[in-house]
């Protein structure tokens, strides 16, 4: 994995990222607890860097980026600022986003907030209000002993539900028939998703982890979408 670059965000957080390949810029976000190294370990960066300048970014609270025990340090606005700062540092006025799990939910929000996103690929997320009071209470109970994780959960209270029509760019959502509640919700949202011009692809037999692990199966769909005219 390439050595990390670091920049200082608007709130003085240190954000870690690395850069591989040449071509249009593609920013990758991973899940809730893991960092950008997973994209390298699973082979996504190696495969994508033949056609793209691939930036893997550690979301605040993950990997080598700074983490805080203050919920106010995890707002959508700060995540958006982090993304724009990294893109600016790399000289990218425009860029595509690809996110998995929590990274997909971040991608969903940023694709609705930023005018600089050209395309968005989301593995295992859905539209609307994900962070209900019931969900947050269960998540907080799981992480309450860890001050940083508890703060991250509390920070989710300001993440509003994003509807499909709010995205400002072409988008692709990927799930699997074994992706638990995610695929169930997406199927109920299919008509609204497709009406918004968003592509929903369901892979037979893949679960939450399998979506990102089955590179040979999923990558061709991702590449075709990202490289479409």
């Amino acid at each position: 994995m390439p050595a990390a670059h670091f920049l200082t965000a608007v709130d003085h957080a240190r954000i870690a990222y690395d850069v591989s390949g040449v071509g249009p810029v593609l920013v990758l976000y991973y899940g809730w607890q893991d960092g950008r190294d997973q994209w390298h370990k699973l082979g996504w960066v190696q495969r994508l860097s033949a056609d793209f300048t691939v930036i893997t970014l550690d979301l605040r609270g993950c990997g080598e980026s700074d983490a805080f025990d203050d919920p106010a340090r995890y707002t959508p606005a700060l995540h958006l600022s982090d993304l724009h700062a990294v893109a600016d540092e790399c000289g990218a006025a425009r860029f595509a986003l690809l996110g998995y799990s929590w990274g997909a939910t971040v991608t969903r929000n940023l694709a609705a907030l930023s005018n600089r996103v050209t395309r968005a690929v989301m593995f295992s997320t859905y539209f609307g209000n994900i962070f209900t009071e019931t969900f947050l209470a269960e998540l907080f109970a799981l992480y309450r002993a860890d001050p940083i994780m508890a703060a991250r959960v509390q920070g989710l209270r300001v993440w509003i539900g994003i509807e499909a029509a709010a995205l400002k760019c072409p988008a692709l959502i990927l799930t699997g028939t074994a992706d638990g509640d995610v695929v169930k919700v997406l199927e109920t949202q299919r008509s609204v998703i497709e009406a918004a011009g968003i592509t929903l692809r369901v892979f037979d037999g893949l679960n939450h982890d399998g979506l990102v692990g089955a590179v040979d199966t999923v990558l061709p769909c991702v590449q075709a979408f990202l490289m479409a005219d």
Side-chain angles (χ1 to χ4, degrees):
M1 187 172 79
H5 300 280
F6 293 91
L7 61 77
T8 302
V10 293
D11 64 340
H12 306 294
R14 198 170 72 139
I15 303 299
Y17 67 97
D18 62 60
V19 184
S20 304
V22 293
V25 172
L26 172 63
V27 180
L28 307 187
Y29 290 132
Y30 206 74
W32 178 249
Q33 289 182 277
D34 295 303
R36 69 189 196 284
D37 60 313
Q38 296 299 314
W39 292 114
H40 292 274
K41 290 177 181 178
L42 292 168
W44 283 92
V45 175
Q46 181 182 5
R47 301 276 289 273
L48 287 167
S49 61
D51 299 300
F52 300 94
T53 298
V54 180
I55 300 173
T56 60
L57 190 155
D58 281 338
L59 291 161
R60 50 180 59 222
C62 298
E64 295 181 87
S65 289
D66 283 347
F68 307 94
D69 59 5
D70 178 1
R73 308 297 288 274
Y74 300 104
T75 65
L78 285 172
H79 282 285
L80 178 65
S81 179
D82 294 343
L83 168 64
H84 284 171
V86 170
D88 290 344
E89 192 77 9
C90 296
R94 303 269 284 165
F95 42 81
L97 298 179
L98 189 161
Y100 162 67
S101 192
W102 164 237
T105 300
V106 174
T107 294
R108 180 200 69 169
N109 282 60
L110 299 187
L113 292 170
S114 177
N115 292 315
R116 296 170 62 178
V117 182
T118 57
R119 287 179 178 263
V121 180
M122 294 160 279
F123 290 32
S124 194
T125 192
Y126 52 87
F127 293 99
N129 182 22
I130 294 174
F131 306 119
T132 64
E133 285 300 321
T134 299
F135 178 81
L136 290 175
E138 293 173 353
L139 201 60
F140 184 76
L142 184 64
Y143 292 116
R144 67 189 313 155
D146 183 328
I148 289 174
M149 295 299 286
R152 291 180 64 196
V153 173
Q154 295 285 59
L156 295 175
R157 294 185 181 280
V158 300
W159 288 68
I160 62 171
I162 299 294
E163 302 300 336
L167 270 58
K168 298 180 178 180
C169 64
L172 168 67
I173 297 186
L174 307 177
T175 185
T177 56
D179 196 15
D181 289 341
V182 174
V183 66
K184 293 176 185 177
V185 175
L186 284 171
E187 288 293 6
T188 69
Q189 296 178 343
R190 180 182 285 276
S191 61
V192 174
I193 288 170
E194 293 178 346
I198 297 168
T199 302
L200 171 59
R201 174 72 184 273
V202 182
F203 288 90
D204 187 46
L206 292 186
N207 61 16
H208 193 75
D209 294 333
L211 283 167
V212 72
V215 183
D216 289 339
T217 300
V218 179
L219 179 65
C221 178
V222 172
Q223 287 177 312
F225 172 76
L226 290 173
M227 300 177 75
D229 293 333

